[in-house]
Amino acid sequence: MAFLWRWLNNLMQVRGQVLLFLKPPNPKTQSQILNVFLLPNNVPLEEVKAQQGDSVYIETSSECRLINRQSYSVHCPEANKIVPHIAECNLDYGPNYHPTFEIFLPANIEEVTITLQDPRNADVWKRRVELTGPGPAGIPKRIQDAKMKKIVLINILDDLREDEFKRFKWFLEKESLLSFRESELLEAERVETVDLMVEKYGISGTVKMMVKVLENMSKYDLMKKLLSSGTEGPGPSKTPVSSPPAKDAKMKKTVLINILDDLREDEFKRFKWFLEKESLLSFRESELLEAERVETVDLMVEKYGISGTVKMMVKVLESMSQYDLVKKLLSSGTEGESDVKPDPNTAETKMDVSEDVKKLKKPPSSFTPELKTESTQVSYRFRCPGPGGFQCTLTGLVFVVAQEAELLYRTVQWDESLLQSAGKTPAGPLFNIQCPEEAVCELHLPHCETKDDLRPEGLLSVIHITDDGMSVLEPLEITDTHVIVKVPHLSPFGLTLDLEFLGRFWNGKKPVTGEVLLFLRSLDRGLRVLDVFLLPSNIPLTEVAAQQGAAEYIKISSDCKLITGENYRLHCEPEDLHIQPEHAEFRSKYGPNFFATFEVFLTTNPETVTLKVQDQVKTDVWKRSVPLPGPRMEMRLAAEHRDPAEARDLAEARLLLARTEFINRVSNSLLDQLLNKLLDGGVVTDLEAESMRKHERAETARNVIDVVRKKGSEASLVLITALCELDPFLSRVLGLR
């Protein structure tokens, strides 16, 4: 009978997640409420977060097994009360997400233990939970009071000069979908402007609109200040603070306005004088004479269009000997020029696009794409300089292209019910790829299959999803690392496994090449937690890192062999450290959320810990000695979380530690932006920058970091600060954040 119960139980179980949100304390009752959500594991965390208002998400390992329509109870020794005592688990997919349980806690409590039990009082999920907000010491807590948030917004506007504030209001009116009453915005001072925005958009909407306007104005320092102020929640924002190439008319006009902003007032008058002389199309009397910078760009675009305006501005700026601005304008992307220099080896690769199967004549060239992170969604961009094969260092994807083309790609969520109806299950991320039609000939998708498990023909296939539905593509070839398919046209592509093969050959327990990823996060009371992730090896690190907030990625060799459906335990030395859960089942999960498999609570500050993952028969499948950043390894901590003088003194040494990875990982476009920052900061001369740009990517990277490092700590700190600003993810990987 017990066997029958276990069999039925496993049959009905689904993968679930327990999400925790802490509501702000109630000063009258001296209590706070911890909301507990029982949800399917493929409900995106961001969708739930968006509905929780001022509640703070409490980060913890969340995965568990749940049974739909079964009753569960929550237990918490520290609770004043729990409502309801028992609740039925309804595994719904929205649109609204309401807590399954509310745990009423004392206002000043900092740590609780929560246990979820099934009707037989068996523990389904049990965690020790820190209620203090995440983030390293020094990062501001979430600003929960609306008045305080408005003060933050007003202070941001106070940092604008008077002419900049006028431009802010101009952009605001252009961007706004909700019109303002006549002259109300024109005459409004900073306080009134914030009041008007909050009235129309609410606090959250006002923050988003201000970010958008400040980005249009290229006020990236104020964007960063606003996003780190806590007005949208704890932790640093993942919104990039580097300026992307202009991609539409509005952004291109913004770039042109910013170019004119770099001219002094007398230079701007000279610009208009030259413009009138150079122009073949006459302006109306006095319209150019009286025009400010924004109106000047509007007039030019009206007469010449965007492309013509760029050409005319280049001509005028050259006449004024403003060569720095000419260079800045031409490198801004307003004409869609490639910011990737062709690899001479790749450029020579010839592709016969008439062949049914395009074959690489040479191994693919590696590239590091530009990243853009919005919330936790990462998107990748790369311009292929010509025909050939190009492999992304971050995702493992290989693109075989027949011509120069821009690639835009990101991961999207699988519809697992659709896959199951076709007898498939995900075997890799689902990539949504955009590119001009017929530019991509072949796509190589990375798999995580072990060499011995590639034998069954039909095991792996590629799913292609279009507006017309889902189709299955048979691979042209399966190598030890990739599945190769011919690309009919681009849209979402992803690897899948055949469920019938999975059951027939492995009974659901299939070996895969896995990876163990480590992230170290700090809590307010000085406590640190080492999050340990067991994942398939073809999940990009960037996708996991984007969801870890301010946690620091600990780089360590991660490869191992794991078996889906098997239970694993994590052991840690020193042994007095608390680990939760005691054991966990490994699942090949490809998003949308990535939660830690294990959490190690570092109650002391060890310099090194020894971690080992063991299978059910206590065999080590992965064992590493892991150095941890801490009081004795300050060079690994971000400059903004340390005394400025100390950060400056250690900057040179920190660059030396990061040198090899910097050379391997930095992209051409990022190098170009870094050189511009170094020029602006007076760290390098025009001659030095020009000389560095002549080399191939790796050589340029080597020259940049070595030249700056040799110029001392002040120069090194400028490079570190610029890198943290332009590419938060890479700086975290390099240990510079």
Side-chain angles (χ1 to χ4, degrees):
M1 191 67 181
F3 170 78
L4 181 61
W5 166 260
R6 285 196 301 271
W7 182 79
L8 288 171
N9 192 45
N10 288 330
L11 186 66
M12 296 183 291
Q13 281 184 346
V14 297
R15 294 177 182 176
Q17 58 183 342
V18 181
L19 301 182
L20 306 177
F21 288 86
L22 185 65
K23 297 180 74 172
N26 186 329
K28 292 182 180 179
T29 62
Q30 290 296 302
S31 66
Q32 55 187 342
I33 298 174
L34 182 64
N35 286 331
V36 181
F37 294 75
L38 305 187
L39 297 167
N41 76 335
N42 56 347
V43 170
L45 173 61
E46 292 304 310
E47 288 189 11
V48 186
K49 275 186 178 180
Q51 297 184 16
Q52 304 315 310
D54 284 337
S55 295
V56 177
Y57 169 61
I58 302 299
E59 190 171 352
T60 190
S61 55
S62 69
E63 293 187 354
C64 62
R65 290 279 188 175
L66 297 172
I67 297 176
N68 196 25
R69 304 298 178 187
Q70 179 168 283
S71 294
Y72 291 90
S73 59
V74 160
H75 303 270
C76 177
E78 299 83 3
N80 294 331
K81 66 175 179 177
I82 299 174
V83 178
H85 180 61
I86 296 175
E88 186 179 272
C89 175
N90 295 312
L91 297 177
D92 294 329
Y93 290 88
N96 301 317
Y97 299 102
H98 302 291
T100 313
F101 298 96
E102 292 179 307
I103 302 177
F104 290 77
L105 298 165
N108 59 351
I109 197 164
E110 295 178 331
E111 180 183 298
V112 295
T113 299
I114 300 173
T115 306
L116 180 69
Q117 291 186 338
D118 65 16
R120 302 169 68 225
N121 296 326
D123 291 354
V124 174
W125 182 88
K126 183 177 181 179
R127 298 292 185 272
R128 188 179 88 178
V129 179
E130 292 285 332
L131 297 183
T132 48
I139 292 181
K141 281 181 173 288
R142 181 184 181 91
I143 301 172
Q144 296 173 343
D145 182 75
K147 185 183 291 184
M148 285 301 297
K149 290 182 180 180
K150 286 174 72 172
I151 290 172
V152 170
L153 302 179
I154 293 165
N155 289 339
I156 294 292
L157 295 187
D158 277 339
D159 287 338
L160 295 172
R161 298 191 311 267
E162 201 58 42
D163 60 317
E164 292 173 334
F165 178 54
K166 287 180 181 177
R167 280 188 60 215
F168 176 91
K169 292 192 289 183
W170 182 86
F171 275 111
L172 176 59
E173 202 157 25
K174 296 289 183 186
E175 291 285 353
S176 180
L177 297 176
L178 304 173
S179 60
F180 293 89
R181 291 188 298 276
E182 188 176 357
S183 80
E184 67 176 347
L185 190 60
L186 180 66
E187 298 170 0
E189 293 300 320
R190 287 160 174 82
V191 174
E192 290 86 354
T193 299
V194 170
D195 285 340
L196 286 169
M197 293 177 73
V198 170
E199 180 185 327
K200 288 186 181 294
Y201 308 115
I203 289 288
S204 179
T206 298
V207 172
K208 291 175 183 175
M209 180 59 76
M210 282 185 70
V211 167
K212 195 171 185 181
V213 172
L214 291 169
E215 186 174 19
N216 284 343
M217 296 173 66
S218 296
K219 287 291 181 181
Y220 302 110
D221 53 340
L222 291 185
M223 273 178 62
K224 187 174 182 181
K225 182 177 178 181
L226 174 58
L227 290 166
S228 63
S229 67
T231 47
E232 286 197 299
S237 167
K238 297 182 183 69
T239 303
V241 293
S242 57
S243 175
K247 293 178 184 175
D248 53 32
K250 187 184 292 182
M251 282 303 297
K252 289 178 180 179
K253 284 175 71 173
T254 303
V255 171
L256 302 179
I257 293 166
N258 291 336
I259 294 291
L260 296 187
D261 273 342
D262 287 339
L263 295 172
R264 298 192 309 268
E265 202 58 43
D266 59 317
E267 291 172 336
F268 177 54
K269 288 179 181 177
R270 283 186 62 216
F271 176 90
K272 292 193 288 184
W273 183 85
F274 274 109
L275 175 60
E276 202 157 24
K277 295 292 182 186
E278 294 283 356
S279 179
L280 298 176
L281 303 172
S282 60
F283 293 90
R284 291 190 298 276
E285 187 177 357
S286 79
E287 67 177 347
L288 189 59
L289 180 66
E290 298 171 359
E292 293 298 323
R293 288 161 174 81
V294 173
E295 290 85 353
T296 300
V297 170
D298 284 342
L299 286 169
M300 293 177 72
V301 171
E302 182 185 328
K303 288 185 180 296
Y304 308 116
I306 290 289
S307 180
T309 299
V310 172
K311 291 174 183 175
M312 179 58 76
M313 282 185 71
V314 167
K315 195 172 183 180
V316 171
L317 291 169
E318 284 179 342
S319 299
M320 297 171 64
S321 299
Q322 292 283 346
Y323 300 113
D324 286 346
L325 291 184
V326 170
K327 186 176 181 181
K328 182 176 178 181
L329 176 57
L330 291 174
S331 64
S332 66
T334 46
E335 292 191 295
E337 296 178 8
S338 172
D339 54 1
V340 179
K341 296 175 183 176
D343 183 332
N345 295 327
T346 304
E348 292 172 4
T349 303
K350 303 296 182 183
M351 300 298 299
D352 181 3
V353 297
S354 64
E355 296 178 10
D356 289 334
V357 179
K358 278 73 178 179
K359 292 290 185 182
L360 277 172
K361 306 299 183 188
K362 295 181 180 179
S365 300
S366 295
F367 70 88
T368 301
E370 290 182 24
L371 294 182
K372 183 177 181 181
T373 309
E374 294 180 355
S375 184
T376 57
Q377 177 66 63
V378 182
S379 56
Y380 309 83
R381 173 184 175 271
F382 175 69
R383 178 169 285 278
C384 301
F390 301 90
Q391 181 165 16
C392 175
T393 58
L394 301 182
T395 63
L397 285 171
V398 178
F399 303 90
V400 180
V401 299
Q403 62 193 49
E404 179 183 350
E406 183 176 67
L407 300 168
L408 297 169
Y409 50 106
R410 60 188 176 90
T411 61
V412 293
Q413 186 175 348
W414 281 104
D415 183 345
E416 294 198 34
S417 60
L418 184 64
L419 287 182
Q420 286 174 3
S421 66
K424 304 289 183 182
T425 189
L430 180 62
F431 290 99
N432 188 14
I433 304 168
Q434 298 175 28
C435 184
E437 287 295 321
E438 299 182 2
V440 179
C441 314
E442 277 182 8
L443 192 60
H444 300 202
L445 294 142
H447 65 70
C448 63
E449 305 307 308
T450 61
K451 198 169 184 179
D452 296 335
D453 297 320
L454 290 172
R455 288 169 296 177
E457 188 175 342
L459 171 67
L460 282 171
S461 57
V462 176
I463 292 294
H464 181 213
I465 299 174
T466 65
D467 293 338
D468 298 327
M470 182 179 77
S471 57
V472 180
L473 304 180
E474 292 304 318
L476 295 174
E477 182 183 352
I478 299 178
T479 70
D480 288 347
T481 57
H482 287 77
V483 176
I484 303 172
V485 288
K486 187 177 179 181
V487 177
H489 52 84
L490 288 173
S491 59
F493 288 86
L495 276 183
T496 61
L497 286 168
D498 188 277
L499 286 172
E500 183 182 348
F501 277 107
L502 203 57
R504 187 193 309 169
F505 287 92
W506 295 280
N507 196 27
K509 294 194 172 185
K510 183 178 169 302
V512 298
T513 56
E515 60 185 359
V516 180
L517 301 182
L518 307 178
F519 288 86
L520 183 65
R521 55 187 165 97
S522 300
L523 304 178
D524 281 345
R525 293 187 294 124
L527 181 66
R528 298 184 301 162
V529 179
L530 183 62
D531 289 330
V532 181
F533 295 75
L534 304 188
L535 297 167
S537 62
N538 58 344
I539 290 179
L541 170 61
T542 44
E543 301 292 324
V544 184
Q547 298 186 14
Q548 305 315 310
E552 180 179 358
Y553 170 59
I554 305 296
K555 188 179 179 187
I556 199 82
S557 55
S558 64
D559 293 347
C560 62
K561 188 174 180 179
L562 300 169
I563 298 176
T564 54
E566 285 283 304
N567 273 292
Y568 292 89
R569 289 179 181 269
L570 180 71
H571 298 269
C572 180
E573 296 174 3
E575 295 180 351
D576 58 345
L577 300 177
H578 176 68
I579 299 173
Q580 65 180 24
E582 291 183 3
H583 57 83
E585 183 184 320
F586 171 68
R587 306 167 189 134
S588 293
K589 187 172 179 290
Y590 291 93
N593 306 319
F594 297 104
F595 297 113
T597 313
F598 299 100
E599 295 171 303
V600 181
F601 289 81
L602 303 175
T603 50
T604 59
N605 285 314
E607 289 184 40
T608 303
V609 295
T610 299
L611 296 177
K612 58 182 177 182
V613 177
Q614 290 186 336
D615 62 17
Q616 294 176 175
V617 294
K618 297 187 177 180
T619 302
D620 292 352
V621 297
W622 182 87
K623 183 178 180 180
R624 299 292 187 276
S625 180
V626 182
L628 296 177
R632 301 186 186 182
M633 293 183 68
E634 286 293 321
M635 287 182 288
R636 297 288 306 276
L637 294 176
E640 62 265 33
H641 302 147
R642 185 171 49 238
D643 177 74
E646 185 184 0
R648 187 167 52 252
D649 293 341
L650 293 172
E652 187 179 344
R654 292 168 68 215
L655 279 186
L656 183 59
L657 285 174
R659 182 179 182 274
T660 301
E661 284 302 310
F662 176 86
I663 294 169
N664 290 338
R665 290 176 176 270
V666 69
S667 66
N668 274 317
S669 58
L670 180 56
L671 280 171
D672 196 51
Q673 293 176 74
L674 287 172
L675 281 170
N676 288 337
K677 291 277 188 183
L678 295 173
L679 271 170
D680 293 343
V683 175
V684 298
T685 64
D686 286 321
L687 190 61
E688 286 174 322
E690 188 177 346
S691 173
M692 291 179 196
R693 284 187 168 110
K694 290 179 180 177
H695 299 287
E696 294 299 319
R697 185 204 61 80
E699 186 63 26
T700 300
R702 188 177 294 107
N703 287 338
V704 167
I705 197 165
D706 287 346
V707 167
V708 171
R709 197 167 46 80
K710 289 173 183 175
K711 292 192 176 190
S713 296
E714 291 281 359
S716 298
L717 189 59
V718 173
L719 177 57
I720 290 171
T721 303
L723 186 58
C724 289
E725 178 185 331
L726 294 170
D727 195 329
F729 171 75
L730 179 58
S731 58
R732 185 185 297 136
V733 170
L734 298 180
L736 297 175
R737 284 185 70 80

